[in-house]
C-alpha cells in the first residue's frame, strides 16, 4: 500500500504551521513510520532550522525539479531518527520555481517508499498553497488529507475559514481537520480568548488536536529539537496525541485545566474542600 500525503496549511502566518509539521512528522517517525517532510515555502526556508538540519542541506526541492540531483540525494536524514527525512525549500528562489504538477510528481514518488509525506505549505492562498494542495494523496478514503492550523484569535480564524473554503473546492483534498494551536486555558476562563468549542463551531471543522501554549516550544525551536522529543512537555504530549489520531487511534484530548505539580494539586484540593463547606 502506498503512503499518505498530508498537507499542513494555514491562512495566517505565525500560527505555528511549520512547528506543527516538524512535531507531527517527528512523532510519526518515532512511532516507527517512514516519514518525509517537504518544505514548500520557497524563499523562506525554516523547517530545517526546527529539525536542527540547517548545516546538512546540500540540495533543495528546486535542485530536484531542475535535475541538478536525484530526489534521494536531496533527502536529508534526521540526526536522531533514521525514519525521518527532509526535502528542503530553496532560499534563493520564489514560489514560481515549482509548479503543482512537479510537486505532485515528487509526492507520488515519495509515497511509494514512505508511509507519510507531510507537505509544509506556505501561509496564504497564493501559488505555493495551490501547489501544495495538488500533492495531496487520494490513497485512503476518510484519511486526513489536510490539517488546517490556526489559533483562537479572530484574525487567524477568519483566515483559516478562507483556507477551509478553498480546500472544499479542491478535488484532491478528500478530508481536512483542524489543529488549534497556542491555547491558553486561563485566558479562555477569563473570556479573553475564544474557547475551543467556539472555534470548532465557527469553522465547522472536525478537530484533530489542541496544542497548549508552551514556552518550551521556543527553547526547542532554538535548539533545533522538536518538542515531541521532550516526554515531560505538555505540548509534546499533545503533538504525539495528534500523530496517534492520524494513525486512526482514538485518543482523548488533553485536559488543559488539570492542575500541574504538587502545589497546584494541594491548592485544588483545598478549593474543593472550601466549596463543600
Amino acid at each position: 500500500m502506498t503512503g499518505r500525503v498530508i498537507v499542513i496549511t494555514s491562512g495566517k502566518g505565525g500560527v505555528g504551521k511549520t512547528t506543527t509539521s516538524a512535531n507531527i512528522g517527528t512523532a510519526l517517525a518515532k512511532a516507527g513510520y517512514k516519514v518525509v517532510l517537504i518544505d514548500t515555502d520557497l524563499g523562506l526556508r525554516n523547517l530545517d532550522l526546527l529539525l536542527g538540519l540547517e548545516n546538512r542541506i546540500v540540495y533543495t526541492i528546486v535542485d530536484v525539479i531542475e535535475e541538478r540531483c536525484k530526489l534521494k540525494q536531496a533527502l536529508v536524514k534526521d540526526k536522531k531518527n533514521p525514519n525521518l527525512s527532509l526535502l528542503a525549500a530553496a532560499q534563493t528562489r520564489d514560489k514560481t520555481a515549482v509548479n503543482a504538477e512537479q510537486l505532485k510528481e515528487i509526492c507520488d514518488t515519495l509515497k511509494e517508499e514512505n508511509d507519510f509525506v507531510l507537505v509544509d505549505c506556505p501561509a496564504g492562498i497564493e501559488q505555493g498553497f495551490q501547489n501544495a494542495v495538488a500533492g495531496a494523496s487520494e490513497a485512503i478514503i476518510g484519511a486526513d488529507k489536510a490539517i488546517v492550523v490556526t489559533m483562537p484569535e479572530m484574525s487567524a480564524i477568519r483566515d483559516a475559514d478562507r483556507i477551509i473554503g478553498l480546500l472544499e473546492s479542491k478535488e484532491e483534498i478528500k478530508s481536512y481537520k483542524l489543529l488549534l494551536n497556542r491555547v491558553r486555558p486561563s485566558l479562555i476562563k477569563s473570556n479573553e480568548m475564544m474557547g475551543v468549542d467556539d472555534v470548532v463551531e465557527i469553522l465547522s471543522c472536525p478537530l484533530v488536536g489542541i496544542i497548549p501554549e508552551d514556552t518550551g516550544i521556543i527553547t526547542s525551536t532554538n535548539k533545533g529539537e522538536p518538542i515531541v522529543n521532550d516526554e515531560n512537555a505538555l505540548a509534546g504530549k499533545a503533538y504525539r496525541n495528534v500523530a496517534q489520531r492520524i494513525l486512526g487511534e482514538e485518543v482523548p484530548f488533553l485536559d488543559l485545566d488539570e492542575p500541574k505539580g504538587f502545589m497546584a494539586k494541594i491548592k485544588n484540593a483545598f478549593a474543593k474542600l472550601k466549596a463543600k463547606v
Side-chain angles (χ1 to χ4, degrees):
M1 185 171 65
T2 57
R4 294 162 57 183
V5 180
I6 301 176
V7 173
I8 298 178
T9 184
S10 68
K12 182 179 172 63
V15 298
K17 173 183 53 59
T18 299
T19 300
T20 294
S21 300
N23 279 284
I24 292 177
T26 301
L28 289 169
K30 284 168 69 74
Y33 294 87
K34 288 189 69 177
V35 181
V36 176
L37 287 166
I38 304 179
D39 190 345
T40 63
D41 199 356
L42 301 184
L44 294 171
R45 186 169 80 201
N46 281 314
L47 194 48
D48 57 322
L49 288 171
L50 271 66
L51 296 169
L53 299 175
E54 65 274 13
N55 294 325
R56 294 189 176 194
I57 306 300
V58 178
Y59 297 111
T60 69
I61 188 171
V62 175
D63 292 314
V64 175
I65 296 298
E66 297 181 352
E67 299 184 346
R68 284 191 289 272
C69 69
K70 300 290 186 184
L71 179 55
K72 286 188 177 180
Q73 288 178 288
L75 295 177
V76 181
K77 292 280 187 184
D78 185 64
K79 292 181 291 187
K80 293 185 177 180
N81 197 326
N83 287 332
L84 182 65
S85 299
L86 169 69
L87 179 57
Q91 287 181 295
T92 56
R93 302 291 290 273
D94 62 21
K95 295 174 176 62
T96 60
V98 179
N99 64 40
E101 189 56 42
Q102 290 166 334
L103 182 58
K104 187 177 187 304
E105 186 178 339
I106 287 175
C107 289
D108 286 344
T109 301
L110 289 173
K111 72 182 184 182
E112 292 299 323
E113 296 184 3
N114 294 278
D115 300 301
F116 290 94
V117 179
L118 303 187
V119 182
D120 183 19
C121 186
I125 58 173
E126 297 174 351
Q127 188 60 45
F129 168 78
Q130 307 293 339
N131 291 348
V133 169
S137 171
E138 296 181 34
I140 303 176
I141 301 300
D144 299 333
K145 302 300 189 305
I147 294 176
V148 180
V149 182
T150 191
M151 300 188 302
E153 298 176 2
M154 279 312 302
S155 60
I157 292 167
R158 183 173 62 183
D159 289 348
D161 188 46
R162 192 171 182 195
I163 285 291
I164 289 169
L166 288 169
L167 291 173
E168 288 176 343
S169 69
K170 296 290 180 183
E171 291 183 3
E172 297 92 342
I173 301 293
K174 298 300 180 185
S175 67
Y176 52 86
K177 291 190 177 179
L178 182 70
L179 185 141
L180 196 55
N181 195 25
R182 303 189 68 176
V183 175
R184 300 176 67 177
S186 60
L187 292 185
I188 293 173
K189 282 184 177 179
S190 62
N191 292 321
E192 295 176 73
M193 177 176 278
M194 296 179 68
V196 174
D197 292 340
D198 296 326
V199 177
V200 172
E201 184 178 355
I202 290 170
L203 296 177
S204 299
C205 184
L207 200 61
V208 73
I210 303 169
I211 312 299
E213 179 77 63
D214 192 331
T215 54
I217 288 181
I218 298 172
T219 306
S220 70
T221 298
N222 290 336
K223 289 181 177 178
E225 183 79 25
I227 201 165
V228 290
N229 289 330
D230 184 350
E231 295 296 325
N232 298 318
L234 192 61
K237 184 177 181 181
Y239 276 123
R240 289 193 296 273
N241 287 351
V242 172
Q244 288 180 280
R245 294 184 193 107
I246 289 173
L247 294 170
E249 299 178 30
E250 292 187 10
V251 183
F253 291 103
L254 293 179
D255 181 6
L256 299 181
D257 293 327
E258 186 179 349
K260 310 296 184 297
F262 179 70
M263 289 305 297
K265 288 178 180 178
I266 289 177
K267 287 179 181 178
N268 189 55
F270 273 113
K272 287 182 179 178
L273 284 172
K274 191 174 181 180
K276 287 180 180 179
V277 175

